[in-house]
Amino acid sequence: MMTQSDIRLALLAFPLATLAALALLVGCGPAEPAGTQLAPPTPEVLCANHASFALLQTLAPPEIPIECLLGNLAATEFKPNREQLKRLQQAALVVLNGANLEGWSGRSNLAASRVVDSSKAIADKLIQIQGKAHSHGAGGSHSHAELNPYLWLDPVMLSAQAEAVGAGLRAAFPVYADVVSQNEKQLLEQLVQLDQNWQAFSARAQKTPLGGEHQALEYLSRRYHLVFAGGGELDLDLLLQPDPDSTIIERLQNNLSLLNAVIPD
Amino acid sequence: MNGLAGIWRLTLLRLRRHPVQTLVLVMCIMVPIFLPVGARVLIADYQTGLTSRAAATPMILGAHGNRYDLTFAALYFRQSELDTIPYPEARRLQQQQGLAVPIHARFKARGYPIVGTTPEYFEKRSSRIQVGELPLQLGETLLGADVAAELELTVGDFLFSDQAELYDIAIPPALKMKIVGVLAASQTPEDDAVFVGMETCWILEGLSHGHVDAESKQIDPKLILGQDEGNTVLSQALIEYNEVTPENIDSFHYHGDPELLPLSAVLFWPHTEKAGTLAKARINQSKQFRMLEPTVVMNDLLAFVLKVRSLIDAISWMLASITALLTLLVFLLSSRLRSREVNTLERLGCSRHFVAGLYLSEILSVLTMAVACALLGVWLVQRFLAEEIYTWI
């Protein structure tokens, strides 16, 4: 037999059911988001070759942290570990030399909008290394031929790289855009002067065989019609190894001085 | 027992005594309430979902064709028959004062779309990582929350891409991808997707692969068909790696023209309105590709959905009117059948007000139950069937 309290409960049941349904309908909003928010890009510029690092040292103001991840390795030997890959993925700017020097970059998932391939705009001017391509089956498309990565030794090519890196720095660090532009302008002027010096040397050398036969010298050879052959005085280490005490212009000027020593006035 | 409690008690007893009649009445009244309310709630949710996702993506670059296909491919990773656009278009768009994020959604893994994109995508979507990290290299994958839950996979496990063609040996084999992260649930299409880097998509497309070095001594001489002008011609029988490992990752390389690497779409976030207008004008004038604003496309789609809602509303009103008339008829007929019961109540000393209250409480009880059932039904549909309904729409 139903008691009075049962009846009271029953009286409340229907309105309560309606209210509960309404509460479910209205109140079940999205819960607090789970998981970890992705970290924002870190305000640093990373690269993995000495030429790009030297460019960055010249173009970027000291307030922008720049780092070359190479350590004691050559750029062609460098393979970033996972921690380094993570840093590269999150960096505000990654500067690549391109021309296949950083082969790892094509196998890494980097933030494309924050990567500057400094030789992309002059890809059609890069020197291909013969004998490295392959294809699958008759009529199959070729694999990409390897490219000569030492383009920075050519002042004209380096100018194009400097412009690309400058644009990347301005986009990543708009606060320092004016300083970067000023540094870039100065560097480009110096490179024009250096180009003229090389041209003058080229006129003097007149296809005289020079020392230091190396793939790295092909860009200079092509630009200034120089003939490099083994056995000379040219110290390639000075061309290719980092020198923290001198700027990129000083190092390139040193190359010219070395050759000037080979062919005196 | 006071009057009101008596009315409610008698009402309850009567409803319990005639459960079938009560149930039929509740159901009849519930349907015209459930239909319009349910439709409005679901469509409002659908509208919010569509418009918020579209609004969060200002522009989409893609091939000419059905604009709904393009929008749904870019925002919801739906596969379509639309043409692709070449990858360098993303780079060109990037130079237009904005952020361009490529989307490649042409393959599947166990039925879920494999979405190739760059890390900026997750930044723009404010994605959260439940466990692990974003893919860092070739062959790595990040799972949406629902994919991970459904397939019971987590970081360290592997997932194979679906084989595009079983009997064509020229098509690349299924790729074994290593899971390096799982996204937190977000009730968005990201939950049901498998994310990889763009480079992994090129492997799936067959434009990039890894194998023994063409110039190494490990290669079977029978597989070298010839050599000419700096090019080694290898047999197509050479087996490609179907998994990227630390040992073979360096052997992966591209074939063909990098300008033709295909994309499903490019999402574009212009830095300024002017930059967006200029980019849109440049692309749409060139006629080669198209740039569209997803909000416009979604509003057009929603206009159609709202027409459907209006139709449901109209049907519901008709249904409600008929139900109201039928319910009235049921109660009138019921009151005639219950004349002896009323006489008995009057002989027991119950007033006419009491009898009227009895009828009213019965009607109110049935109405309350119908409303409660309708709202419960709406909640259940919203909770458990909404996704299926949205997919159907």
Side-chain angles (χ1 to χ4, degrees), chain B residues 29-171:
Chain B
I29 298 169
M30 187 199 86
V31 172
I33 298 170
F34 168 76
L35 272 179
V37 174
R40 277 174 185 274
V41 168
L42 285 178
I43 288 172
D45 271 6
Y46 185 60
Q47 196 170 1
T48 308
L50 284 183
T51 50
S52 62
R53 195 159 176 84
T57 316
M59 289 179 172
I60 297 172
L61 169 70
H64 281 286
N66 187 313
R67 60 195 184 123
Y68 296 113
D69 278 354
L70 175 58
T71 307
F72 277 84
L75 300 186
Y76 294 88
F77 320 130
R78 298 274 170 82
Q79 287 190 342
S80 72
E81 297 301 315
L82 278 180
D83 287 342
T84 55
I85 56 170
Y87 184 64
E89 281 304 316
R91 204 170 55 240
R92 280 181 207 120
L93 196 56
Q94 181 67 44
Q95 291 157 0
Q96 300 280 312
Q97 293 280 307
L99 174 66
V101 175
I103 296 287
H104 180 285
R106 286 160 50 82
F107 292 89
K108 289 191 171 185
R110 301 199 36 198
Y112 293 97
I114 298 177
V115 181
T117 189
T118 55
E120 293 95 324
Y121 180 83
F122 304 99
E123 293 166 13
K124 292 306 285 185
R125 293 277 184 244
S126 303
S127 301
R128 301 175 78 91
I129 302 274
Q130 187 65 49
V131 59
E133 58 197 6
L134 295 182
L136 292 172
Q137 295 187 98
L138 276 181
E140 294 183 348
T141 182
L142 172 76
L143 301 186
D146 288 351
V147 180
E150 286 288 323
L151 302 181
E152 296 180 355
L153 294 171
T154 189
V155 172
D157 294 339
F158 291 90
L159 176 67
F160 277 94
S161 64
D162 291 347
Q163 180 71 48
E165 177 57 68
L166 281 174
Y167 305 108
D168 186 348
I169 57 164
I171 302 285

Side-chain angles (χ1 to χ4, degrees), chain A residues 3-235:
Chain A
T3 64
Q4 199 161 347
S5 60
D6 290 338
I7 293 167
R8 281 192 187 130
L9 271 175
L11 285 173
L12 281 170
F14 292 137
L16 278 177
T18 312
L19 279 174
L22 271 174
L24 281 170
L25 202 65
V26 177
C28 291
E32 188 68 19
T36 318
Q37 183 77 51
L38 288 171
T42 46
E44 63 177 351
V45 185
L46 301 178
C47 65
N49 71 84
H50 295 302
S52 296
F53 187 61
L55 257 184
L56 284 167
Q57 280 179 315
T58 309
L59 295 176
E63 290 83 1
I64 299 177
I66 55 174
E67 187 178 335
C68 181
L69 298 177
L70 274 187
N72 295 323
L73 293 169
T76 46
E77 295 166 352
F78 176 72
K79 281 186 207 170
N81 57 36
R82 288 196 77 78
E83 274 312 304
Q84 288 170 323
L85 274 174
K86 218 169 173 177
R87 279 187 69 194
L88 286 159
Q89 196 177 63
Q90 290 174 350
L93 186 67
V94 174
V95 175
L96 304 176
N97 176 73
N100 298 1
L101 185 62
E102 300 96 343
W104 52 267
S105 68
R107 298 183 278 272
S108 308
N109 185 25
L110 302 180
S113 66
R114 303 197 290 268
V115 175
V116 169
D117 180 340
S118 60
S119 60
K120 195 84 182 173
I122 45 172
D124 56 334
K125 297 184 177 74
L126 299 175
I127 296 173
Q128 288 198 357
I129 299 170
Q130 295 297 313
K132 290 281 188 178
H134 70 267
S135 58
H136 295 265
S141 57
H142 289 211
S143 64
H144 293 162
E146 285 191 23
L147 300 166
N148 185 332
Y150 302 102
L151 62 153
W152 66 87
L153 295 175
D154 174 351
V156 179
M157 299 292 260
L158 185 62
S159 299
Q161 287 189 289
E163 284 171 348
V165 175
L169 282 169
R170 280 190 291 274
F173 300 92
V175 180
Y176 301 111
D178 290 343
V179 187
V180 172
S181 295
Q182 204 178 332
N183 292 344
E184 185 185 319
K185 191 182 168 201
Q186 202 176 344
L187 177 64
L188 292 177
E189 284 169 2
Q190 290 172 320
L191 286 170
V192 167
Q193 183 58 52
L194 190 63
D195 177 45
Q196 286 168 0
N197 294 347
W198 272 105
Q199 284 179 22
F201 171 76
S202 168
R204 246 176 341 106
Q206 290 183 340
K207 298 200 175 179
T208 308
L210 305 165
E213 185 182 15
H214 190 274
Q215 193 188 64
L217 302 169
E218 284 182 11
Y219 284 98
L220 281 175
S221 173
R222 184 181 67 175
R223 173 80 57 198
Y224 302 110
H225 313 291
L226 302 175
V227 180
F228 289 99
E233 299 292 325
L234 197 60
D235 186 351

